[in-house]
Each structure stands twice: as C-alpha cells, then as structure tokens.
Amino acid sequence: MSGTTTAAAALRRRTAGAGANRWVVLVVLCVSLLLVAVDATVLHVAVPAVTEDLKPGGMELLWIVDVYPLVCASLLILFGTLGDRVGRRRILLLGYALFGVASGLAALADSAQVLIVARALLGVGGAMIMPATLSILRQVFPDRRERALAIGIWSAVAAVGAAVGPLLGGFLLEHFWWGSVFLVNIPLMLVSLPVGRLLLPESKGDGKGPWDVVGALMAAAGLFGVVLGVKRLGSGGSLGSLLTVLPLVLGAALLVGFVRRQRRRTYPLVDLRMFARPAFSTSVGCIVLAMLALVGLELIAAQYLQLVLGLSPLETGLRLLPLTLAAMAAGLAGARMLRRFGPRRMVCAGFCLTAFAVVLLTALGRTDDCALMLSGFVLLGFGLETTLFGAYESMLSEAPQEQAGGAAAIGETSYQLGAGIGIALLGTVMNAAYAPGLSGVPGVPASASASAGHSLGEAYEVAAQLGGAAGAALRQAARDAFVHGLHVTLLVSAGLLLLGAAMALRLPRVMQCEPGPVEIPAPRDAAESRVSV
C-alpha cells in the first residue's frame, strides 16, 4: 500500500511539474539556445577588430572563425547520446558552465592561439547545450500538440539568435572592445546555471548496456573530417587539394565504420533503426536541403547587397531582417499549421513557397529594387521556417523518448552539415557562373582577369589598381557577372528546394496526437513491477 502511495505521489509531482513549470522550462531552454545561436554569428562583425588587435595569420584567422561551428557539429552526437546515458540536464548544466568559462577566456585572449582554444571550448559547450534543449523539450511536453507549439517557439528563438548576433556585435563594437562580444555571455550563464538546476527536470534513456565510447569518438572524428572538408570546399578549396580530400575521405571512412559498428552492437549508441521510419529519415533529409538553400543564399545575398548595391553592413543587416521576422512568424504559427495541414502538406508547401521566393528573386538586377527584395525575403523566411519546423517536429516525434538526445543530435548535425554543404555547393555554382564573365574584358590583361575571377571583392581591388577605362570596364563586367551568377545560383537552389518538396511527400499525411501510456515509477524495492495507466 505504501508503495502504491509513493508511486502515486511521484506521478503527481511529475505531472504537476510538467503542468505548472513546463512553459518556464521552455523559457530557460530558449535562453540557452539563444546564446548558442548568437555566438555562432556574433564574431563575424568583430573579425576586423580582432585582426587589428591580435594580428593573426591567414590560417589562424580562418580557424578563429571556423573552429566553433566545426567543433560543435563534430560533438553533437557524442554529447547527445551521453545525455541519454548520464542525464540530459546534467550535460546541459555542464555545457552552461563550460560556455561561461570559455566566454571569459575568449574575451581576455591576448593571442590568436588563445582565442582559437577558447572558441573550440565554446564549440564543446554549444554541442553539450544544443541537443539537450531539444531532448528535454521532448520530455517536458509529452503531448504532441503542446510540443509542436514549444518547438515553434524554440525555432523562432533560433531565428532571432542568428539575426541578433551581427546586430549585437556591431552595437558592442561601437562602445567597447571586441572581447565584449564574448563577455556578454557570462552574466547570462551565471543566471542560467542556478535557474536550470532548480527548474529543469532530469531525464535519461533506458540505460541498457554500456555507453559506446569508441563509437562516440568515431562519430566525432568522422564528423570533424567531413565538416572540415566541406568547409574547405566552401572557402575555395579544390577537390584536388590533399588538405581538402584527406579530411573528407578519412571522415567518410570513419562514419561508415561507425554505422557498421552500431549495426553490430546489441546496445548501439544511436539506434539506426530510426532511419527505417520514413518520417524520421525524410525529416532529416528535409533539414539538410532546407539549410543547404538558406545558408548559401544568405551568404550570396549579403555579398549582393554590399558589393553590387553598395549598402553598408548595418543596412545589409536591416535588409535581411524581414527574412528573420518572417521566420519568427512561421515558427509561432507552426503548431496551428501542423494541426490543420499535417506534416506532409506543411513541409511540402514550405519548400514550394521557398522555391517560388527564390525564383522571384531572380528578377533582381544591378539596381536596388526594395519592394521586390522585401517580398522575396519575407516569402523566403516564412517558407524555410515552415519547412524546418515541420521537419524538426516530425523527426523528434518519431524518435523514442529514450533516444531523444541522439535524435536531437542527429537533427542538429543535419542542420550543421546542410549549412556547410550549402556554402560549398552554392559557392561553387556561383564561382562557375561568375568567372567566365570576366574573360576577354577590353583593355584588361589576362592575369588581372584571372585574379578578378576569384570573387567580386577581389575584382573591385584589381579594378582600382588598373584605374582608367580598363578599371571601369572590369568593375562593370564583374558586377554584371556577379548578378548573372546570382541568378544561376538561385535557379539551382529552386531546383534543390523542389527536390525537397518531392521528398516531403513521404511524411505522414496527418499529425497523430494520441497520448501514449503514462508510466508510474515503481518503488526501488519493487523496480521490476510496473503499472501503466
């Protein structure tokens, strides 16, 4: 009798916590995500100040910028599955602490090497935080309808973080030194640690079998190699370069070995049977394709706004702001749309709307068309966020609760890989369409044309050195070639998005909201006896 009373009391406490505090928990998780999302982009505007102060070499500067997303993407599966094993809240709180310490180290860095180490530690902290937020959210919101609303708010916060990063960085740089872009994290983490410890529930997987340390390290090393190779391709590296090919080959080999190892193990680190579920595997593919289109287009759009239209960085950020606001609106409306239309129609319509927006933007030329740009960016932001929301929600709902950390890590890894592949693929398309337009410009030597073919910014530098009629002709040709390359890239993106729409047809037609069984925890002396109601 006392055992039944204890079990009922435990159930009431758990239910009360989920009912009374789950929205407060969502706020704490969103603050965590906001910090990670902001830190991914806040450094971009501080690069000139960092370069002037620390005097890093070209390779060091590249690592300062890239080491955070590289380390973060590599360790997502490791920490996501470790959270399933030792406790997701524990990993999240450790991530908070590490993120705060690394932020202080980065803010006070007096050399490029120290800043690289600090940024790598920030990546480790980010990898601990990101999958934990989604997996705890999966536990706190067992009802799918409420969980869909929570994921919509979560994804809207992610969109805000990506936009706030450069704006916050610009504001801080105007009033303080470059280290302040990192120092702002510390008070927020000092608040998040005790609040998270007090409010966030602890949760684990089923705990069966040992944690596969070797498999976790294989996944981390494999992802590191693949992401590094993709980033080198995106920054202009050649497929013929050993520094590009070697990480890709070794990383791919390690990931293949990781998959084979997981299939053989009785208790795998990641249950690959999740990919046999059409909704899960399709959602992961949709996330990759959506991010592939978004990141590449944002990069090219920023260059178009600054180098073709001549807008300042602040004006560029303001022009891209409608895209973020539309994404926020889609995230907040996502739960209602998902219930009304179902995952299949929602994700498919999001891809189609995004493809329409991309085709609409091909009407952009060398002159500023603010109304066209505003319309295109609003449709683009709303369509892509609709797609990402539907894909994330479907993926997380398909995963068993005991595998929530691993599933969240797979989703975040897909996000990061899609972003890296997007920069590499669309950047390659852009360069292939741009460079031929600079050959045979009257009065411009072949060597100057070859240099100008690397990028529009370099073309402007070469044109300034040439001066006169030749310089003006090269500048005009480079601008025209860039606009042509933009149009080709947009059309390729539209094709990829339509491919995503076709892929989304494998998702479920309706949103299944039947509540699952609620398990009453048994007393410790009767752990084998469980009752479901």
Side-chain angles (χ1 to χ4, degrees):
M1 184 71 175
S2 62
T4 304
T5 304
T6 304
L11 177 62
R12 283 197 300 272
R13 285 196 301 271
R14 187 175 65 178
T15 305
N21 297 327
R22 63 186 184 278
W23 299 107
V24 179
V25 169
L26 177 62
V27 171
V28 177
L29 296 179
C30 285
V31 170
S32 311
L33 178 67
L34 184 64
L35 286 172
V36 175
V38 166
D39 213 72
T41 56
V42 72
L43 184 64
H44 292 172
V45 295
V47 167
V50 171
T51 303
E52 182 179 353
D53 188 21
L54 300 183
K55 304 292 190 297
M59 186 59 67
E60 288 176 329
L61 183 60
L62 188 66
W63 277 102
I64 287 172
V65 175
D66 284 346
V67 71
Y68 173 84
L70 181 61
V71 171
C72 187
S74 304
L75 297 178
L76 285 168
I77 289 178
L78 188 153
F79 285 119
T81 56
L82 183 61
D84 289 338
R85 170 66 53 175
V86 303
R88 294 149 189 158
R89 186 188 69 162
R90 180 176 298 174
I91 293 296
L92 181 63
L93 295 179
L94 287 173
Y96 284 166
L98 182 58
F99 210 83
V101 171
S103 296
L105 182 62
L108 302 177
D110 57 358
S111 68
Q113 292 81 7
V114 173
L115 184 55
I116 290 171
V117 171
R119 289 276 289 169
L121 290 176
L122 282 169
V124 177
M128 299 172 82
I129 292 171
M130 289 173 69
T133 59
L134 263 181
S135 54
I136 292 175
L137 187 151
R138 171 74 171 82
Q139 177 213 359
V140 173
F141 292 91
D143 180 78
R144 186 171 182 180
R145 286 164 294 193
E146 285 193 344
R147 185 167 66 244
L149 177 59
I151 292 176
I153 296 171
W154 180 89
S155 60
V157 169
V160 171
V164 164
L167 296 177
L168 177 63
F171 172 80
L172 291 173
L173 285 173
E174 286 185 3
H175 298 86
F176 308 100
W177 92 112
W178 61 264
S180 61
V181 303
F182 300 108
L183 210 58
V184 72
N185 294 334
I186 296 179
L188 293 173
M189 286 301 173
L190 289 176
V191 173
S192 297
L193 262 173
V195 172
R197 182 175 178 82
L198 179 66
L199 295 178
L200 295 179
E202 184 59 283
S203 65
K204 300 179 182 179
D206 53 24
K208 294 179 180 177
W211 187 59
D212 185 9
V213 179
V214 174
L217 294 176
M218 287 177 68
L223 286 169
F224 186 92
V226 170
V227 175
L228 177 60
V230 167
K231 281 187 172 294
R232 285 193 58 82
L233 284 175
S235 60
S238 169
L239 271 175
S241 169
L242 186 63
L243 293 176
T244 302
V245 174
L246 190 60
L248 281 173
V249 172
L250 290 179
L254 283 170
L255 289 179
V256 170
F258 169 75
V259 170
R260 296 182 64 181
R261 179 181 176 86
Q262 298 309 298
R263 286 177 172 172
R264 290 196 305 264
R265 291 183 66 85
T266 306
Y267 301 106
L269 187 69
V270 175
D271 188 356
L272 298 177
R273 290 176 297 179
M274 288 190 294
F275 284 94
R277 303 180 180 184
F280 186 88
S281 56
T282 301
S283 297
V284 170
C286 288
I287 291 170
V288 171
L289 280 174
M291 285 310 301
L292 190 153
L294 174 63
V295 174
L297 288 177
E298 279 192 336
L299 181 66
I300 295 169
Q303 294 178 0
Y304 169 79
L305 292 171
Q306 293 186 63
L307 298 178
V308 176
L309 300 185
L311 302 181
S312 68
L314 179 59
E315 290 172 330
T316 299
L318 292 175
R319 287 294 183 92
L320 292 172
L321 194 58
L323 189 151
T324 302
L325 295 176
M328 289 172 54
L332 295 175
R336 179 172 296 181
M337 290 192 293
L338 190 63
R339 289 196 303 270
R340 182 182 179 93
F341 302 111
R344 179 186 302 177
R345 283 187 289 178
M346 182 177 177
V347 176
C348 187
F351 270 123
C352 291
L353 180 61
T354 309
F356 173 77
V358 165
V359 173
L360 182 66
L361 289 173
T362 58
L364 293 174
R366 290 188 292 107
T367 56
D368 190 0
D369 191 335
C370 188
L372 175 65
M373 196 179 302
L374 176 64
S375 302
F377 283 170
V378 167
L379 294 175
L380 184 66
F382 194 90
L384 271 173
E385 182 59 29
T386 298
T387 299
L388 286 171
F389 171 86
Y392 263 111
E393 199 282 334
S394 297
M395 180 203 71
L396 202 59
S397 295
E398 280 293 312
Q401 187 166 336
E402 63 272 13
Q403 288 276 331
I410 289 170
E412 294 295 339
T413 303
S414 304
Y415 187 100
Q416 298 288 343
L417 283 176
I421 294 171
I423 293 174
L425 177 62
L426 296 186
T428 301
V429 172
M430 180 71 193
N431 290 335
Y434 164 74
L438 298 180
S439 60
V441 180
V444 178
S447 59
S449 294
S451 299
H454 296 156
S455 69
L456 183 57
E458 192 165 345
Y460 284 174
E461 293 178 4
V462 173
Q465 293 172 2
L466 289 175
L474 179 60
R475 188 180 182 88
Q476 180 68 34
R479 189 183 291 112
D480 292 340
F482 187 90
V483 172
H484 169 70
L486 174 64
H487 293 165
V488 172
T489 305
L490 289 171
L491 291 174
V492 171
S493 298
L496 293 170
L497 291 165
L498 292 176
L499 177 63
M503 180 187 296
L505 295 176
R506 298 181 69 233
L507 290 172
R509 184 184 297 274
V510 296
M511 178 183 178
Q512 301 291 339
C513 297
E514 291 81 9
V518 178
E519 192 175 83
I520 300 178
R524 290 187 179 184
D525 58 353
E528 296 300 319
S529 175
R530 300 203 171 186
V531 180
S532 294
V533 295

